[in-house]
């Protein structure tokens, strides 16, 4: 298979990778690199493995059953009470959650363009939102997927060039694969895993595989796409950590990617800053597209609505999510209370999703011969325990601190 054929084979996995490498991941990875150098690289490796385990299950569920995760949730409960609770939780965590975080996605992409052009983020924010809306409005999945593939390529190239320019210590980088938990790093570990293993990606993946492939005969290609693109996402995250580790003295505390950009400016005549800004724009823009799309798939599926990219209800959902982000980015307003609510809802939903996925993936009536193997169940169980821990940590941070 030639290079062009391999690129054409890339599918929904690119959407998943683009979705979890947003401004939040860029910020968390930068902070980790600045404070702990390569010591927490193992966290990226674990996060990628956990993401592959859950996303493969979600993709297989969608491909074999030709249903989204939202429909599977609804169908699993005959009693209207747990069904109503489940639907409410999905709509709250995914629908409202993606709307709350959408401001950060748009502002992150705008910050990248602002660094390059000097034009205010408040101007670029609405522009990014409107361009994203235009692409989603086409209802052309193949076009949307190609845009994601292209932007992941741009993002990966930009961040990898940065990492290569700062000439990382490969010995120390390899040593970072050995799990250690330095004092004070627990919240960052939970943060990185939490921004990589994303609940709404499970809904996004289960639905988009149906747009790309027809059924069980495509399972091998689907798995290759899932694993390959999530690994690419892990490499990009590692490149961000490597860059931060190289330009900051170990133990430096930073609060945002703006400090990362300032530190990069004198490196190699400013080229490193440009590459970082391009990568940040791509990360923000792809997340600004994937979050509304995921929110629409999840909400429509949970409510029993049609999951058609051109349907009025489907468009109404993603337009609402995107509209919230556009307005808040233009007003330079951070919806803190809504974000706190979304964090709580997501902290509750992700463990439930993980448990439900494993349960559903062992249902022979649903999947026949494509149910989980013992190894898949064991790996899924380990990931679920970690996800539960992260969920509890998130709830504690939001409700107590």
């Amino acid at each position: 298979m030639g290079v062009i054929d391999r690129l054409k084979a890339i599918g929904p996995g690119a959407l998943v990778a683009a979705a979890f490498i947003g401004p939040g991941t860029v910020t968390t990875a930068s902070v980790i690199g600045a404070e702990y150098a390569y010591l927490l690289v193992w966290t990226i490796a674990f996060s990628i493995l956990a993401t592959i385990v859950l996303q493969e299950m979600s993709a297989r569920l969608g491909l074999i059953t030709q249903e989204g995760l939202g429909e599977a949730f609804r169908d699993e409960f005959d009693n209207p009470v747990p069904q109503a609770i489940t639907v409410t939780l999905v709509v709250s965590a995914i629908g409202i959650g993606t709307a709350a975080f959408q401001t950060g996605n748009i502002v992150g992409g705008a910050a990248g363009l602002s660094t390059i052009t000097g034009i205010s983020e408040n101007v670029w924010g609405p522009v990014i939102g409107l361009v994203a809306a235009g692409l989603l409005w086409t209802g052309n999945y193949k076009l949307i997927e190609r845009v994601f593939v292209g932007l992941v390529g741009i993002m990966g190239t930009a961040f990898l060039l940065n990492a290569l320019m700062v000439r990382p210590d490969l010995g120390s980088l390899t040593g970072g694969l050995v799990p250690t938990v330095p004092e004070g790093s627990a919240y960052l570990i939970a943060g990185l895993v939490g921004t990589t293993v994303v609940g709404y990606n499970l809904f996004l993946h289960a639905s988009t595989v149906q747009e790309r492939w027809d059924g069980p005969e495509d399972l091998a290609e689907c798995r290759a796409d899932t694993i390959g693109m999530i690994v690419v996402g892990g490499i990009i995250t590692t490149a961000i950590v490597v860059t931060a580790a190289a330009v900051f003295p170990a133990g430096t505390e930073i609060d945002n990617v703006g400090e990362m950009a300032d530190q990069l400016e004198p490196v190699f005549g400013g080229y490193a800053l440009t590459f970082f800004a391009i990568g940040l724009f791509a990360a923000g823009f792809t997340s600004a597209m994937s979050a509304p799309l995921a929110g629409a798939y999840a909400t429509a599926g949970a409510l029993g609505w049609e999951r058609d990219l051109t349907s009025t209800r489907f468009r109404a959902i993603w337009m609402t999510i995107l509209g919230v982000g556009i307005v808040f980015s233009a007003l330079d307003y951070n919806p803190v209370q809504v974000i706190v609510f979304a964090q709580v809802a997501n902290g509750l939903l992700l463990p439930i999703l993980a448990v439900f996925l494993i349960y559903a993936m062992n249902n022979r009536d649903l999947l026949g011969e494509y149910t989980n193997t013992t190894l898949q169940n064991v790996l899924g169980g380990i990931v679920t325990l970690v996800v539960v821990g992260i969920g509890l940590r998130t709830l504690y941070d939001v409700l107590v601190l």
Side-chain angles (χ1 to χ4, degrees), residues 289-315:
M289 285 181 63
S290 60
L293 196 58
Y297 276 126
T299 303
L303 294 174
W305 296 350
E306 187 179 8
R307 289 181 299 109
D308 183 341
L309 287 168
T310 60
S311 74
T312 302
R313 284 175 169 177
F314 192 91
R315 280 176 168 165

Side-chain angles (χ1 to χ4, degrees), residues 248-323:
F248 286 101
T252 303
E253 293 186 10
I254 63 174
D255 296 320
N256 55 62
V257 291
E259 294 178 57
M260 176 84 155
D262 292 340
Q263 194 71 18
L264 281 168
E265 189 167 8
V267 179
F268 295 97
Y271 287 114
L273 175 62
T274 301
F275 291 145
F276 184 82
I278 291 171
L280 181 58
F281 155 69
F285 185 67
T286 52
S287 293
M289 285 181 63
S290 60
L293 196 58
Y297 276 126
T299 303
L303 294 174
W305 296 350
E306 187 179 8
R307 289 181 299 109
D308 183 341
L309 287 168
T310 60
S311 74
T312 302
R313 284 175 169 177
F314 192 91
R315 280 176 168 165
I317 298 168
W318 68 250
M319 285 175 66
T320 300
I321 294 169
L322 195 52

